[in-house]
Amino acid sequence: MKKHMTYLLAGTLLLTAACKKSTNLDIPNPNVPDESNFWQTSGDALLGVNAVYGNFYRNGAPFSRWQPFYMDVRSDDGYSTSGWNELRSISGLNITQYSFEVNYDTWGHHWRGVYRANQVIANVPNIQMEGLLKNRYLGEAKFLRALYYYNLVTIWGSIPLILQPSTPADKPAQVPQDQVWAQIEKDLTEAAAALPPSYNGDDIGRATKGAAFGLLGRVYLQQKKYQPCVDALSYFTTGAGTGLYNLTANYADNFRHTTENNSESIFEVQFKMRPENGGDDGPTSNVGTSRAPFFAPPTNGFTDANMHRWVVHEFLKETTAAGGRDPRLAITALYDSTDERGPNFTPVYGQTFTARNFDNNMKTRVWYRKYLDDYFRINEFEIFNSPINYRVIRLADVYLMYAEALNGLTRTNDAYAWVDKVRQRAGLRLLSVVRPGMTQTQFQTQLEHERITELTGESLRWNDLARWGYFEDATKIEQLKARDSEFGNFVQNRTRYMPIPQSEIDINPNLKQNPNW
């Protein structure tokens, strides 16, 4: 799918024809596909499904460019020093321009994904084609619609729920969040029943049964529906998926283009790098991910995003069983001691940290290292079409979610084993040995630490904080402020969700701005 997928251009295309008897007559060209003549064959169905995936290749679409600013940099583990004031305001929690490019594009590209998925779900049932394949295409569309809606409801909170192809005349109003969550659960349940466990050849990268169960477990956990979460994720722990997935031996394999779609990957967005370094993000293109330039250090990137140094200290709280440093730190953070021998040995795009001769301000910086191209790009500026696939769901996250849900059900003793699987890969001592017999509250605190060391920089932190109640509890908000001064701008009952682009509200009288914005 990564190299050979083609995409459907959404919308109606018209050609203006000149006529001998009238120079003002517009005649539709019957050879140009539009909604009235397109959805006819299984080939059309495939193109329609591919178009939903194709929406990933836009700079505001999920995981390509801006989403990490909402989910990582905006959280307590990151901060922005961007010279672009509006981009910096996402992290600073002090947005004043609601319709600026990043917010507008992220909102719009998510809804474009919903629109394309809705086209498939509305039209493919009427196509005469092989039944299993039809169901698979519908399952893929439902999974992708659910993924888009999960991002929409967790970033903006109060949103419309659109389940049919929209028209320009539609003016949808918001619905209660519970209604959106219920639809996401429904889509993923139906997708899990229809999707195959795996694919071969060019179809690798499409949504699988495991992808649906993995996202469904995440959706249930975000709502603290612990038993349904356990039920969904049991596909990986005790069910049919146990033989399909394994943690990779090398943690770094989850963030490199040379080890994509591996045994740990449950769903990842397929990116490729074109021969030319361009910024085209059209609907028929796959130009790779443009995240890296915004996260790379000076001379290699714009340095728009930084990681707080307290995250580094989380990794240093314990050593491996052999007495060494947690190996995940060097994959997660680029800073003066990414190599534990110090700045004289720490590589930064082919030079040592010391050789870079950073000023005093830069010497103390920490950069998110996951999804940087520093391991193969030497002394070069980062590119806007990196080939590294984005791992949306991977098995280590599933194990930690499963443990959190078990602990939420007061099955703390059962939860230990799944945390231990993740720790063992990092070479750490078993939690069941070093901290046996924890209470439910103690285990939850430990889980928060485990998710930092395993998952930092993977666009999960903001929703973790929301799920753990950090945005509603005054004491916990003070903890956030202690870790990240930007949370001095956090306002309860306001800042948890982003403001809806004002330009959208201006054209839709039924759309209301989020509270207190």
Side-chain angles (χ1 to χ4, degrees), residues 284-363:
T284 63
S285 64
N286 176 348
V287 298
T289 169
S290 55
R291 166 185 170 140
F294 298 89
F295 282 74
T299 73
N300 302 104
F302 303 125
T303 319
D304 288 311
N306 309 265
M307 183 189 296
H308 281 295
R309 209 167 185 102
W310 70 260
V311 179
V312 171
H313 297 305
E314 286 289 316
F315 288 87
L316 302 177
K317 286 183 174 179
E318 60 182 315
T319 61
T320 65
R325 194 174 72 171
D326 189 328
R328 296 172 295 184
L329 174 55
I331 308 304
T332 303
L334 182 59
Y335 72 116
D336 58 2
S337 294
T338 293
D339 186 306
E340 58 189 308
R341 294 172 295 176
N344 289 334
F345 297 91
T346 292
V348 183
Y349 289 84
Q351 298 181 43
T352 67
F353 193 95
T354 300
R356 283 303 177 103
N357 197 28
F358 289 130
D359 62 31
N360 289 334
N361 177 279
M362 289 297 171
K363 285 179 180 178

Coordinates of all heavy atoms in Angstrom, one line a residue, residues 284-363:
T284 N -3.7 13.1 -4.0 CA -3.2 11.8 -4.6 C -1.8 11.5 -4.2 O -1.1 10.7 -4.9 CB -3.4 11.9 -6.1 OG1 -2.5 12.9 -6.6 CG2 -4.8 12.1 -6.5
S285 N -1.2 12.3 -3.3 CA 0.2 12.1 -3.0 C 0.5 11.4 -1.7 O -0.4 11.4 -0.8 CB 0.9 13.5 -3.0 OG 0.4 14.3 -1.9
N286 N 1.6 10.8 -1.6 CA 2.1 10.3 -0.3 C 3.6 10.9 -0.2 O 4.5 10.3 -0.8 CB 2.2 8.8 -0.2 CG 2.8 8.3 1.1 OD1 3.4 9.1 1.8 ND2 2.6 7.0 1.3
V287 N 3.7 12.0 0.4 CA 5.0 12.7 0.4 C 5.8 12.4 1.7 O 6.8 13.1 1.9 CB 4.8 14.2 0.2 CG1 4.2 14.4 -1.2 CG2 4.0 14.8 1.3
G288 N 5.4 11.5 2.5 CA 6.0 11.3 3.8 C 5.6 12.2 4.8 O 4.7 13.1 4.6
T289 N 6.1 12.1 6.0 CA 5.7 12.9 7.1 C 6.6 14.2 7.2 O 7.9 14.1 7.1 CB 5.8 12.2 8.5 OG1 5.6 13.1 9.6 CG2 7.1 11.4 8.6
S290 N 6.0 15.3 7.5 CA 6.8 16.5 7.6 C 7.0 17.0 9.1 O 7.3 18.1 9.4 CB 6.1 17.6 6.9 OG 4.8 17.8 7.3
R291 N 6.9 16.0 10.0 CA 7.1 16.3 11.4 C 8.5 16.7 11.8 O 8.8 17.7 12.5 CB 6.7 15.1 12.2 CG 7.2 15.1 13.7 CD 6.8 13.8 14.4 NE 7.5 13.7 15.7 CZ 6.9 13.2 16.8 NH1 5.7 12.8 16.7 NH2 7.5 13.2 17.9
A292 N 9.5 16.0 11.2 CA 10.9 16.1 11.7 C 11.5 17.6 11.7 O 12.2 17.9 12.6 CB 11.8 15.2 10.9
P293 N 11.3 18.4 10.6 CA 11.9 19.7 10.7 C 11.5 20.6 11.9 O 12.3 21.4 12.3 CB 11.5 20.3 9.3 CG 11.1 19.2 8.5 CD 10.6 18.1 9.4
F294 N 10.3 20.3 12.3 CA 9.8 21.2 13.4 C 10.3 20.7 14.8 O 10.2 21.4 15.8 CB 8.3 21.2 13.4 CG 7.7 21.7 12.2 CD1 7.4 20.9 11.1 CD2 7.4 23.1 12.1 CE1 6.9 21.5 9.9 CE2 6.9 23.6 10.9 CZ 6.7 22.8 9.8
F295 N 10.9 19.5 14.8 CA 11.3 18.9 16.1 C 12.8 18.8 16.2 O 13.4 18.5 17.3 CB 10.7 17.5 16.3 CG 9.3 17.6 16.8 CD1 8.3 17.9 15.9 CD2 8.9 17.2 18.1 CE1 6.9 18.0 16.3 CE2 7.6 17.3 18.5 CZ 6.6 17.7 17.6
A296 N 13.5 19.1 15.1 CA 15.0 18.9 15.1 C 15.7 20.1 15.7 O 15.1 21.2 15.7 CB 15.5 18.7 13.7
P297 N 16.9 19.9 16.2 CA 17.7 21.0 16.8 C 18.2 22.0 15.8 O 18.1 21.8 14.6 CB 18.8 20.3 17.5 CG 19.0 19.0 16.8 CD 17.6 18.6 16.3
P298 N 18.8 23.1 16.2 CA 19.3 24.1 15.2 C 20.3 23.6 14.2 O 21.0 22.6 14.5 CB 20.0 25.1 16.1 CG 19.4 24.9 17.5 CD 19.1 23.5 17.6
T299 N 20.3 24.1 13.1 CA 21.0 23.8 11.8 C 20.4 22.5 11.2 O 20.7 22.3 10.0 CB 22.5 23.6 12.1 OG1 22.7 22.3 12.8 CG2 23.1 24.7 12.8
N300 N 19.6 21.8 11.9 CA 18.9 20.6 11.3 C 17.4 20.8 11.2 O 16.8 20.0 10.6 CB 19.3 19.3 12.0 CG 20.8 19.1 12.1 OD1 21.4 19.3 13.1 ND2 21.4 18.6 11.0
G301 N 16.9 21.7 12.0 CA 15.5 22.0 12.0 C 15.2 23.3 12.6 O 16.0 24.1 12.8
F302 N 13.9 23.6 12.8 CA 13.4 24.9 13.2 C 13.4 25.0 14.7 O 13.2 26.1 15.2 CB 12.0 25.1 12.7 CG 11.8 25.0 11.2 CD1 10.9 24.2 10.6 CD2 12.6 25.8 10.4 CE1 10.8 24.1 9.2 CE2 12.5 25.8 9.0 CZ 11.6 24.9 8.4
T303 N 13.6 23.9 15.4 CA 13.6 23.9 16.9 C 12.3 24.5 17.5 O 12.3 25.3 18.4 CB 14.8 24.7 17.4 OG1 16.0 24.4 16.7 CG2 15.1 24.4 18.9
D304 N 11.2 24.1 16.9 CA 9.9 24.6 17.4 C 9.4 23.9 18.6 O 8.5 24.4 19.3 CB 8.8 24.5 16.3 CG 9.0 25.4 15.1 OD1 9.2 26.6 15.4 OD2 9.0 25.0 14.0
A305 N 9.9 22.7 18.8 CA 9.5 21.8 19.9 C 10.6 21.3 20.8 O 11.7 21.0 20.2 CB 8.7 20.6 19.4
N306 N 10.4 21.4 22.1 CA 11.5 20.9 23.0 C 10.8 20.0 24.1 O 9.6 20.2 24.4 CB 12.1 22.1 23.7 CG 12.6 23.2 22.8 OD1 13.7 23.2 22.4 ND2 11.7 24.1 22.4
M307 N 11.6 19.2 24.6 CA 11.2 18.3 25.7 C 11.7 18.8 27.0 O 12.8 19.3 27.1 CB 11.7 16.9 25.5 CG 11.2 15.9 26.5 SD 12.1 14.3 26.4 CE 11.5 13.8 24.7
H308 N 10.9 18.8 28.1 CA 11.3 19.2 29.4 C 12.3 18.2 30.0 O 12.2 17.0 29.8 CB 10.1 19.4 30.3 CG 9.4 20.7 30.2 ND1 9.9 21.9 30.4 CD2 8.1 20.9 29.7 CE1 9.0 22.8 30.2 NE2 7.9 22.3 29.8
R309 N 13.3 18.8 30.7 CA 14.3 17.9 31.2 C 13.9 17.0 32.3 O 14.5 16.0 32.6 CB 15.5 18.8 31.7 CG 16.9 18.0 31.6 CD 18.0 19.0 31.7 NE 19.3 18.3 31.5 CZ 20.0 18.4 30.4 NH1 19.6 19.1 29.4 NH2 21.2 17.7 30.3
W310 N 12.7 17.3 32.9 CA 12.2 16.4 34.0 C 11.9 15.0 33.4 O 12.0 14.0 34.1 CB 11.0 17.0 34.7 CG 9.7 17.0 33.9 CD1 9.2 18.1 33.2 CD2 8.8 15.9 33.7 NE1 8.0 17.7 32.6 CE2 7.7 16.4 32.9 CE3 8.8 14.6 34.1 CZ2 6.7 15.6 32.5 CZ3 7.7 13.8 33.7 CH2 6.6 14.3 32.9
V311 N 11.6 14.9 32.1 CA 11.4 13.7 31.5 C 12.6 12.8 31.5 O 12.6 11.6 31.8 CB 10.9 13.8 30.0 CG1 10.6 12.5 29.4 CG2 9.6 14.7 30.0
V312 N 13.8 13.4 31.2 CA 15.0 12.7 31.3 C 15.2 12.0 32.6 O 15.6 10.9 32.8 CB 16.2 13.6 30.9 CG1 17.5 12.9 31.2 CG2 16.1 14.1 29.5
H313 N 14.9 12.8 33.7 CA 15.1 12.3 35.0 C 14.2 11.1 35.4 O 14.5 10.3 36.2 CB 14.9 13.4 36.1 CG 15.9 14.5 35.9 ND1 17.3 14.3 35.9 CD2 15.8 15.9 35.7 CE1 17.9 15.5 35.7 NE2 17.0 16.4 35.6
E314 N 13.1 11.0 34.7 CA 12.2 9.8 34.9 C 12.9 8.6 34.5 O 12.8 7.5 35.2 CB 10.9 10.0 34.1 CG 9.9 11.0 34.7 CD 9.3 10.5 36.0 OE1 8.9 9.3 36.0 OE2 9.1 11.4 36.9
F315 N 13.7 8.6 33.4 CA 14.4 7.5 33.0 C 15.6 7.1 33.9 O 16.0 5.9 33.9 CB 15.0 7.7 31.6 CG 14.0 7.8 30.5 CD1 13.3 8.9 30.1 CD2 13.7 6.6 29.7 CE1 12.4 9.0 29.1 CE2 12.8 6.6 28.7 CZ 12.2 7.8 28.4
L316 N 16.0 8.1 34.7 CA 17.2 7.8 35.5 C 16.8 7.4 36.9 O 17.7 7.3 37.8 CB 18.0 9.1 35.6 CG 18.5 9.6 34.2 CD1 19.3 11.0 34.4 CD2 19.4 8.6 33.5
K317 N 15.5 7.2 37.2 CA 15.1 6.8 38.5 C 15.5 5.4 38.9 O 15.6 5.1 40.1 CB 13.6 7.0 38.6 CG 13.1 8.4 38.7 CD 11.6 8.5 38.9 CE 11.2 9.9 39.2 NZ 9.7 10.0 39.3
E318 N 15.8 4.6 37.9 CA 16.2 3.2 38.2 C 17.1 2.8 37.1 O 17.1 3.2 35.9 CB 15.0 2.3 38.4 CG 14.1 2.1 37.2 CD 13.0 1.2 37.4 OE1 13.2 0.1 38.0 OE2 11.8 1.6 37.1
T319 N 18.0 1.8 37.4 CA 18.9 1.2 36.4 C 18.3 -0.1 35.9 O 17.4 -0.7 36.5 CB 20.3 1.0 37.0 OG1 20.2 0.1 38.1 CG2 20.9 2.3 37.5
T320 N 19.0 -0.6 34.9 CA 18.6 -1.9 34.4 C 19.1 -3.0 35.3 O 19.8 -2.7 36.3 CB 19.2 -2.2 33.0 OG1 20.7 -2.2 33.1 CG2 18.9 -1.1 32.0
A321 N 18.6 -4.2 35.1 CA 19.1 -5.3 36.0 C 20.6 -5.5 35.9 O 21.2 -6.0 36.9 CB 18.4 -6.6 35.5
A322 N 21.2 -5.1 34.8 CA 22.7 -5.2 34.7 C 23.4 -3.9 35.2 O 24.6 -3.9 35.2 CB 23.0 -5.4 33.2
G323 N 22.6 -3.0 35.8 CA 23.2 -1.8 36.3 C 23.4 -0.6 35.4 O 24.1 0.4 35.7
G324 N 22.9 -0.8 34.2 CA 23.1 0.3 33.2 C 21.9 1.3 33.1 O 20.9 1.2 33.9
R325 N 22.0 2.2 32.2 CA 20.9 3.2 32.0 C 19.8 2.6 31.2 O 20.1 1.8 30.3 CB 21.5 4.4 31.4 CG 20.6 5.6 31.5 CD 21.3 6.9 30.9 NE 21.4 6.9 29.5 CZ 21.8 7.9 28.7 NH1 22.1 9.1 29.3 NH2 21.9 7.8 27.4
D326 N 18.6 3.0 31.4 CA 17.4 2.6 30.6 C 17.7 2.9 29.1 O 17.9 4.1 28.8 CB 16.2 3.3 31.1 CG 14.9 2.8 30.5 OD1 14.9 2.4 29.3 OD2 13.9 2.9 31.1
P327 N 17.8 1.9 28.3 CA 18.2 2.2 26.9 C 17.2 3.0 26.1 O 17.5 3.5 25.0 CB 18.3 0.8 26.3 CG 17.4 -0.1 27.1 CD 17.5 0.5 28.5
R328 N 15.9 3.1 26.6 CA 14.9 3.8 25.9 C 15.2 5.3 25.9 O 14.7 6.1 25.0 CB 13.5 3.5 26.5 CG 13.1 2.1 26.3 CD 11.8 1.8 27.1 NE 12.0 1.9 28.6 CZ 11.1 1.6 29.5 NH1 9.9 1.2 29.1 NH2 11.4 1.7 30.8
L329 N 15.9 5.8 26.9 CA 16.2 7.2 27.0 C 16.9 7.7 25.7 O 16.6 8.8 25.2 CB 17.1 7.5 28.2 CG 17.6 9.0 28.4 CD1 16.4 10.0 28.4 CD2 18.3 9.1 29.7
A330 N 17.9 7.0 25.3 CA 18.7 7.5 24.1 C 17.9 7.5 22.8 O 18.2 8.2 21.9 CB 19.9 6.5 23.9
I331 N 16.8 6.7 22.8 CA 15.9 6.7 21.6 C 14.9 7.8 21.7 O 14.4 8.4 20.7 CB 15.2 5.4 21.5 CG1 16.2 4.2 21.5 CG2 14.3 5.3 20.2 CD1 17.3 4.3 20.5
T332 N 14.5 8.2 23.0 CA 13.4 9.2 23.2 C 13.9 10.6 23.2 O 13.2 11.5 22.8 CB 12.8 8.8 24.6 OG1 12.3 7.5 24.6 CG2 11.6 9.8 24.9
A333 N 15.1 10.9 23.7 CA 15.6 12.2 24.0 C 16.9 12.5 23.3 O 17.8 11.7 23.4 CB 15.7 12.5 25.4
L334 N 17.0 13.6 22.6 CA 18.3 14.1 22.1 C 18.7 15.3 22.9 O 18.1 16.3 22.9 CB 18.1 14.5 20.6 CG 19.4 15.0 19.8 CD1 20.4 13.9 19.8 CD2 19.0 15.4 18.4
Y335 N 19.8 15.1 23.6 CA 20.3 16.2 24.5 C 21.8 16.0 24.8 O 22.4 15.1 24.1 CB 19.5 16.2 25.8 CG 19.8 15.0 26.8 CD1 20.3 15.2 28.0 CD2 19.4 13.7 26.4 CE1 20.6 14.2 28.9 CE2 19.7 12.7 27.3 CZ 20.2 12.9 28.5 OH 20.5 11.9 29.4
D336 N 22.4 16.7 25.7 CA 23.8 16.7 25.8 C 24.4 15.3 26.2 O 25.6 15.1 26.0 CB 24.3 17.8 26.8 CG 23.7 17.6 28.2 OD1 22.9 16.7 28.4 OD2 24.0 18.5 29.1
S337 N 23.5 14.5 26.8 CA 24.0 13.2 27.3 C 23.1 12.0 26.7 O 22.9 11.1 27.4 CB 24.1 13.1 28.8 OG 25.1 14.0 29.3
T338 N 22.7 12.2 25.5 CA 22.0 11.1 24.8 C 22.9 9.8 24.9 O 22.5 8.7 25.1 CB 21.7 11.4 23.4 OG1 20.6 12.4 23.4 CG2 21.1 10.2 22.7
D339 N 24.2 10.0 24.6 CA 25.2 9.0 25.0 C 25.6 9.3 26.4 O 26.1 10.4 26.8 CB 26.4 9.2 24.0 CG 27.4 8.0 24.2 OD1 27.9 7.8 25.4 OD2 27.8 7.4 23.2
E340 N 25.5 8.3 27.3 CA 25.7 8.5 28.7 C 27.1 8.9 29.0 O 27.4 9.4 30.2 CB 25.3 7.3 29.5 CG 26.0 6.0 29.2 CD 25.4 4.8 29.9 OE1 25.2 4.9 31.1 OE2 25.0 3.9 29.2
R341 N 28.1 8.8 28.1 CA 29.4 9.3 28.3 C 29.5 10.8 28.2 O 30.5 11.4 28.6 CB 30.4 8.7 27.3 CG 30.6 7.2 27.5 CD 31.4 6.5 26.4 NE 30.7 6.6 25.1 CZ 31.2 6.2 24.0 NH1 32.5 5.7 24.0 NH2 30.5 6.3 22.9
G342 N 28.5 11.5 27.7 CA 28.4 12.9 27.7 C 28.5 13.6 26.4 O 28.4 12.9 25.3
P343 N 28.6 14.9 26.3 CA 28.5 15.7 25.1 C 29.6 15.4 24.1 O 29.4 15.6 22.9 CB 28.5 17.2 25.6 CG 29.0 17.1 26.9 CD 28.6 15.8 27.5
N344 N 30.7 15.0 24.6 CA 31.8 14.6 23.6 C 31.5 13.4 22.8 O 32.2 13.1 21.8 CB 33.1 14.5 24.4 CG 33.7 15.8 24.9 OD1 33.4 16.8 24.4 ND2 34.4 15.7 26.0
F345 N 30.5 12.6 23.2 CA 30.2 11.4 22.5 C 28.8 11.3 22.0 O 28.5 10.4 21.2 CB 30.4 10.2 23.5 CG 31.9 10.0 24.0 CD1 32.3 10.7 25.1 CD2 32.8 9.3 23.2 CE1 33.6 10.5 25.6 CE2 34.1 9.1 23.7 CZ 34.5 9.8 24.8
T346 N 28.0 12.3 22.4 CA 26.6 12.3 21.9 C 26.5 12.8 20.5 O 26.9 13.9 20.2 CB 25.8 13.2 22.8 OG1 25.7 12.7 24.1 CG2 24.4 13.4 22.3
P347 N 26.0 11.9 19.6 CA 25.9 12.3 18.2 C 24.7 13.2 17.9 O 23.6 13.0 18.4 CB 25.7 11.0 17.5 CG 25.0 10.1 18.5 CD 25.5 10.6 19.8
V348 N 24.9 14.2 17.1 CA 23.8 15.1 16.7 C 23.9 15.3 15.2 O 24.8 16.1 14.7 CB 23.9 16.5 17.4 CG1 22.7 17.4 16.9 CG2 23.9 16.3 18.9
Y349 N 23.2 14.4 14.4 CA 23.3 14.5 13.0 C 24.7 14.4 12.4 O 25.1 15.2 11.6 CB 22.5 15.7 12.4 CG 21.0 15.7 12.6 CD1 20.4 16.0 13.8 CD2 20.2 15.2 11.6 CE1 19.1 16.0 14.0 CE2 18.8 15.2 11.7 CZ 18.3 15.5 13.0 OH 16.9 15.5 13.1
G350 N 25.5 13.5 13.0 CA 26.8 13.3 12.4 C 27.9 14.0 13.1 O 29.1 13.8 12.8
Q351 N 27.6 15.0 14.0 CA 28.6 15.6 14.8 C 28.4 15.4 16.3 O 27.3 15.0 16.7 CB 28.6 17.1 14.6 CG 28.9 17.5 13.1 CD 28.9 19.1 13.0 OE1 29.4 19.8 13.8 NE2 28.3 19.5 11.9
T352 N 29.4 15.6 17.1 CA 29.1 15.5 18.5 C 28.4 16.7 19.1 O 28.5 17.8 18.4 CB 30.5 15.3 19.3 OG1 31.2 16.5 19.2 CG2 31.3 14.1 18.8
F353 N 27.8 16.5 20.2 CA 27.1 17.7 20.8 C 28.0 18.8 21.1 O 27.8 20.0 20.8 CB 26.4 17.2 22.1 CG 25.4 18.2 22.7 CD1 24.1 18.1 22.4 CD2 25.9 19.2 23.5 CE1 23.2 19.0 23.0 CE2 25.0 20.1 24.1 CZ 23.6 20.0 23.8
T354 N 29.3 18.4 21.5 CA 30.3 19.5 21.8 C 30.7 20.2 20.6 O 30.8 21.4 20.5 CB 31.5 18.8 22.5 OG1 31.1 18.2 23.7 CG2 32.6 19.8 22.7
A355 N 30.9 19.4 19.5 CA 31.3 20.1 18.2 C 30.3 21.0 17.6 O 30.6 22.0 16.9 CB 31.6 19.0 17.2
R356 N 29.0 20.8 18.0 CA 28.0 21.8 17.5 C 28.2 23.2 18.1 O 27.6 24.1 17.6 CB 26.6 21.2 17.9 CG 26.1 20.1 17.0 CD 26.1 20.5 15.5 NE 25.7 19.5 14.6 CZ 24.5 19.4 14.1 NH1 23.6 20.3 14.3 NH2 24.3 18.4 13.2
N357 N 28.9 23.3 19.2 CA 29.1 24.6 19.9 C 27.9 25.4 20.1 O 27.8 26.6 19.8 CB 30.1 25.4 19.0 CG 30.8 26.5 19.7 OD1 30.9 26.4 21.0 ND2 31.1 27.6 19.0
F358 N 26.9 24.7 20.6 CA 25.6 25.4 21.0 C 25.9 26.5 22.0 O 26.8 26.4 22.8 CB 24.6 24.4 21.5 CG 24.1 23.4 20.5 CD1 24.1 22.0 20.8 CD2 23.5 23.8 19.4 CE1 23.5 21.1 19.9 CE2 23.0 22.9 18.4 CZ 23.0 21.6 18.7
D359 N 25.0 27.5 21.9 CA 25.1 28.5 23.0 C 24.6 28.0 24.3 O 24.1 26.9 24.4 CB 24.4 29.8 22.5 CG 22.9 29.7 22.3 OD1 22.3 28.8 23.0 OD2 22.4 30.4 21.5
N360 N 24.7 28.8 25.3 CA 24.3 28.3 26.7 C 22.9 27.9 26.8 O 22.5 27.0 27.5 CB 24.7 29.3 27.7 CG 26.2 29.4 28.0 OD1 26.9 28.5 27.7 ND2 26.6 30.6 28.4
N361 N 22.0 28.7 26.0 CA 20.6 28.3 26.0 C 20.4 27.0 25.4 O 19.6 26.1 25.9 CB 19.9 29.4 25.3 CG 18.4 29.1 25.1 OD1 18.0 28.4 24.3 ND2 17.6 29.7 26.0
M362 N 21.0 26.7 24.3 CA 20.8 25.4 23.6 C 21.4 24.3 24.3 O 21.0 23.1 24.2 CB 21.3 25.5 22.1 CG 20.5 26.4 21.2 SD 18.8 25.8 21.0 CE 18.1 27.2 20.1
K363 N 22.5 24.5 25.0 CA 23.2 23.4 25.7 C 22.3 22.7 26.7 O 22.5 21.5 27.0 CB 24.4 24.0 26.4 CG 25.6 24.3 25.5 CD 26.8 24.8 26.3 CE 27.9 25.1 25.3 NZ 29.1 25.7 26.1

